[in-house]
Amino acid sequence: MLRFSHFALVSALLVSSAVAQTPAASTPVSVPPAPLLADHFGPWQASAPATVNDIHLPDDVAKELIVKRSDAKIYEAEGNKAAVSAVELADATGAYSAFTYLRTTEMRPCATGNSLGVDCAVSSGRLLFWQGDTVVIVAPAGLKGIAAGSFTDLVGTLPKPSGAKAAHPLLPGKLPTDGLEKTSLRYAVGQNTYAAGGGVIPAAALDFSKSPEILTAHYRSSKSGTGLLTLIFYPTPTIAGDRMRAIQKAIEDKQMPASFLAGEPQIARSGPIVAIASSGFTAKEAAKLVGGVKYQAQIAWDKPEGYMEQFKVSNAASVLVQIMIFVFVMCGAALALGIVFGGGRAAFRVSRGKSASSLADMEVISLGLRGKPEHKLE
């Protein structure tokens, strides 16, 4: 009984010692992300949070564009004030879509030298631009005017998305330039943003379950003054062909507003892009517009295009690097196994009193054909 008590006491001491020596479970520490708007940039210093964010997106549009976060601050510099509002979206396409939605008819493109971000628009009371996955509005809050160039340093402080999230939308680069009214562009990534931008093509014909992206733009027309060009980008040419026929049927059945059917609408497809010229074009003008939309799949080192992102050269380079690493690992493993097994065999032979190499044990049978024959052949 005494031995059992002694054994139990020793076991308890060992357990307590092991528990004492076991390091405490590390507590994960989460570092909060940097604020969307920096506390200072260039000569500007944040003085207080803004009471109101000037970027107003309807709830359904904000949900469709996937708003990640927003921020608004009052900045001061050299006795002047400015209210800066920013909203970060899911990707660059969402930021561009929000930019086209927020750009009003009185806004004009920023002058050369004062342009900010990827695209910039300005009116008497505010400056709007987008960069990366973020859209920004700057409004004067003091008594002095503000030069757009003074906010150049702000652009560098904004989030920098990478990979597919940083890829710019495909469709704006496919627009014909002759007669284009650049401030009229509206980019939609879903049914809500399309409707918010004034789109009228029936949802049943577009089929938003196929994830189309839609760009609308106004062009000068000789007949009605302006006409509408609609570009729709689908994931595959097959889907685009099916949707083109559905839209053509909707036009023939007059399921569109009269303004859309004015003139002689034309529709065409190039790869996964469906182009529709409507709202006042003559047949010749409409055919020229839709015929000027050409799709050519491109793969570039630094700028993937459309749905070709999964074939980026950087991904191929990564695969090649992984293959090279695998080859080196396998060669190293083969060398290590050769040393282990070869060295073990040599050590075993030496322990038995033999030479390390088995070449010494080999017996060579010689035919002796180099010397002169001892007997002549008769």
Side-chain angles (χ1 to χ4, degrees):
M1 185 68 179
L2 182 60
R3 291 182 179 179
F4 178 77
S5 301
H6 179 69
F7 175 76
L9 178 60
V10 171
S11 300
L13 289 174
L14 290 175
V15 170
S16 61
S17 176
V19 171
Q21 293 179 4
T22 301
S26 59
T27 303
V29 178
S30 59
V31 179
L36 181 55
L37 291 175
D39 291 332
H40 61 85
F41 57 88
W44 296 92
Q45 182 72 39
S47 59
T51 56
V52 178
N53 192 312
D54 286 338
I55 299 178
H56 304 291
L57 296 173
D59 292 341
D60 55 349
V61 172
K63 183 178 180 180
E64 197 165 78
L65 297 179
I66 311 179
V67 173
K68 295 167 63 177
R69 54 177 175 162
S70 61
D71 198 0
K73 292 179 180 178
I74 301 293
Y75 290 89
E76 296 185 12
E78 300 174 354
N80 206 357
K81 289 185 179 182
V84 180
S85 302
V87 170
E88 185 179 9
L89 290 306
D91 51 28
T93 299
Y96 177 66
S97 179
F99 171 81
T100 61
Y101 173 80
L102 295 168
R103 182 175 53 194
T104 56
T105 55
E106 65 269 13
M107 285 185 166
R108 64 186 186 279
C110 294
T112 304
N114 284 331
S115 182
L116 298 176
V118 180
D119 204 351
C120 175
V122 64
S123 64
S124 59
R126 59 181 51 194
L127 171 72
L128 171 69
F129 71 91
W130 72 281
Q131 175 68 27
D133 57 1
T134 307
V135 60
V136 179
I137 286 181
V138 179
L143 301 177
K144 300 178 183 179
I146 301 175
S150 65
F151 290 92
T152 303
D153 293 326
L154 171 62
V155 178
T157 66
L158 297 174
K160 298 174 179 60
S162 60
K165 293 184 179 180
H168 290 181
L170 166 75
L171 292 179
K174 302 302 179 184
L175 285 173
T177 56
D178 291 343
L180 172 63
E181 297 180 357
K182 294 182 179 180
T183 58
S184 67
L185 273 62
R186 297 291 182 269
Y187 204 90
V189 297
Q191 183 172 357
N192 296 323
T193 48
Y194 179 63
V200 296
I201 300 177
L206 293 171
D207 192 359
F208 285 98
S209 68
K210 299 297 189 294
S211 302
E213 295 182 8
I214 306 173
L215 176 66
T216 57
H218 289 284
Y219 282 79
R220 292 186 294 274
S221 169
S222 61
K223 183 176 181 180
S224 62
T226 60
L228 181 69
L229 177 65
T230 304
L231 301 186
I232 311 168
F233 183 54
Y234 287 97
T236 67
T238 302
I239 297 175
D242 177 65
R243 291 300 92 204
M244 183 186 71
R245 290 185 288 272
I247 296 170
Q248 179 68 56
K249 187 176 187 305
I251 293 175
E252 294 172 353
D253 294 344
K254 301 188 182 304
Q255 297 177 357
M256 313 280 194
S259 59
F260 188 91
L261 298 174
E264 300 180 64
Q266 298 288 327
I267 185 170
R269 179 181 68 85
S270 177
I273 300 176
V274 177
I276 311 158
S278 62
S279 304
F281 291 113
T282 64
K284 183 178 180 181
E285 290 173 331
K288 180 181 179 181
L289 264 183
V290 297
V293 178
K294 302 295 183 183
Y295 175 80
Q296 183 177 2
Q298 297 178 358
I299 307 172
W301 180 270
D302 60 345
K303 188 178 179 182
E305 186 170 1
Y307 285 81
M308 300 296 290
E309 290 160 2
Q310 64 267 32
F311 302 116
K312 288 190 299 182
V313 177
S314 58
N315 286 353
S318 176
V319 172
L320 290 176
V321 170
Q322 293 177 13
I323 292 174
M324 293 175 64
I325 293 173
F326 175 76
V327 170
F328 283 125
V329 170
M330 294 302 296
C331 290
L335 180 61
L337 290 174
I339 293 174
V340 170
F341 287 107
R345 186 172 182 274
F348 178 73
R349 288 178 58 83
V350 170
S351 66
R352 298 185 62 185
K354 297 183 179 181
S355 62
S357 175
S358 61
L359 293 176
D361 299 340
M362 296 178 63
E363 296 181 357
V364 179
I365 300 175
S366 176
L367 298 178
L369 298 178
R370 291 186 179 182
K372 295 182 178 181
E374 297 180 357
H375 303 283
K376 295 182 178 180
L377 295 175
E378 296 182 357

